[in-house]
Amino acid sequence: MELVKWKYSNPYVDRANEPTRLFVLGPHTIVVRQEPDHAIDLTQNTGFLVWDGAYLLSTFIFNHIDLHNNTCIELGAGSALVSITASLKQPLRVVATDMLEYQAFARRNISDNKAKVEVCELLWEDSKQCSLLGRFDVVLGSEILYLSSQHDNLLGALHRLMHQTSVAYFLYKNRGLGEHLFKEKATSQGFVIKEMPQSLILPEFHSQQYHLLSIKKKIK
């Protein structure tokens, strides 16, 4: 019998209501729990589901980014899929951060997958929390730009978490909620933003307005 290649998209499956989801990255299978019983929309409980953007960023990391001997932090980790993926790339350290209510949820998924990932609370506006975490070589974020009111706090966190040669990778979907304003604001605050080629995003998502950014500090 011929083997059928694993594919993410399936129009006959409502992934948002599945309690457990499976993700295949090369030889690795990651199993992630969801908690769909929460009332979930863009304003509440977003971390209890795996958003498509988290999977897309995970595939980009797995296929294109060398994290060997690097330190890595994920912002808005939610289920921690991105952090678990990053841990497969032989980094020195991976930290998954989010609000306090998602900590136990993230830890369960990390434990289930036997991943070496730390979990910490991080509010972007809290300079003390950022300072305690230190600076990282790579910063990751998926679907964290849809609240434009948080862009200043997010940029403040990046200033504190990135050193001069760090790079951040953000993946987002343009939902018409002001996501595009982040690039202009980041540039005005001393960052260099580069839109990555669409070829780095899985082809089946090219029609859905996903964008992948690399972010660096301007060289002084």
Side-chain angles (χ1 to χ4, degrees):
M1 184 175 67
E2 183 180 1
L3 292 176
V4 177
K5 185 178 180 181
W6 186 88
K7 189 175 181 182
Y8 180 83
S9 295
N10 184 341
Y12 304 105
V13 176
D14 181 8
R15 299 186 185 281
N17 288 313
E18 292 180 337
T20 303
R21 295 182 63 179
L22 177 148
F23 302 89
V24 177
L25 297 167
H28 305 282
T29 299
I30 299 174
V31 179
V32 177
R33 304 187 200 194
Q34 299 189 127
E35 295 187 4
D37 292 338
H38 293 276
I40 298 173
D41 57 39
L42 287 175
T43 65
Q44 60 180 342
N45 298 320
T46 54
F48 291 117
L49 292 182
V50 179
W51 297 83
D52 288 346
Y55 171 65
L56 292 177
L57 184 58
S58 294
T59 60
F60 167 70
I61 294 164
F62 186 80
N63 293 322
H64 301 287
I65 301 301
D66 181 8
L67 294 178
H68 182 68
N69 285 338
N70 284 313
T71 57
C72 180
I73 186 169
E74 182 187 4
L75 307 181
S79 67
L81 172 62
V82 172
S83 292
I84 294 167
T85 302
S87 75
L88 299 174
K89 302 288 287 186
Q90 297 182 309
L92 286 176
R93 182 189 185 198
V94 180
V95 182
T97 68
D98 211 321
M99 295 183 290
L100 190 61
E101 57 260 40
Y102 301 123
Q103 304 294 288
F105 177 60
R107 284 192 176 96
R108 282 198 301 272
N109 283 323
I110 291 164
S111 176
D112 288 347
N113 290 280
K114 298 179 172 59
K116 189 177 179 181
V117 177
E118 302 169 40
V119 178
C120 296
E121 180 186 17
L122 178 60
L123 303 177
W124 299 337
E125 66 272 21
D126 192 324
S127 59
K128 184 177 180 181
Q129 285 184 332
C130 291
S131 297
L132 289 172
L133 285 168
R135 297 185 187 272
F136 292 82
D137 301 313
V138 180
V139 181
L140 303 168
S142 65
E143 303 279 25
I144 60 174
L145 301 184
Y146 61 87
L147 290 177
S148 57
S149 61
Q150 289 296 313
H151 287 178
D152 281 322
N153 289 332
L154 175 55
L155 288 166
L158 288 181
H159 275 295
R160 299 179 186 101
L161 294 169
M162 295 174 69
H163 52 69
Q164 197 59 46
T165 59
S166 301
V167 60
Y169 296 105
F170 284 1
L171 190 142
Y172 72 96
K173 183 176 184 177
N174 185 4
R175 295 183 169 86
L177 300 174
E179 296 92 347
H180 66 287
L181 299 173
F182 176 81
K183 290 187 283 186
E184 181 180 340
K185 186 165 285 188
T187 300
S188 71
Q189 294 191 24
F191 291 95
V192 177
I193 310 293
K194 179 182 177 182
E195 180 106 17
M196 306 288 280
Q198 278 286 298
S199 60
L200 297 175
I201 297 174
L202 292 179
E204 60 191 290
F205 290 88
H206 284 180
S207 64
Q208 299 186 37
Q209 297 194 62
Y210 281 97
H211 300 268
L212 178 61
L213 305 178
S214 72
I215 305 163
K216 296 182 179 181
K217 289 185 173 181
K218 286 182 181 178
I219 298 174
K220 295 181 179 178

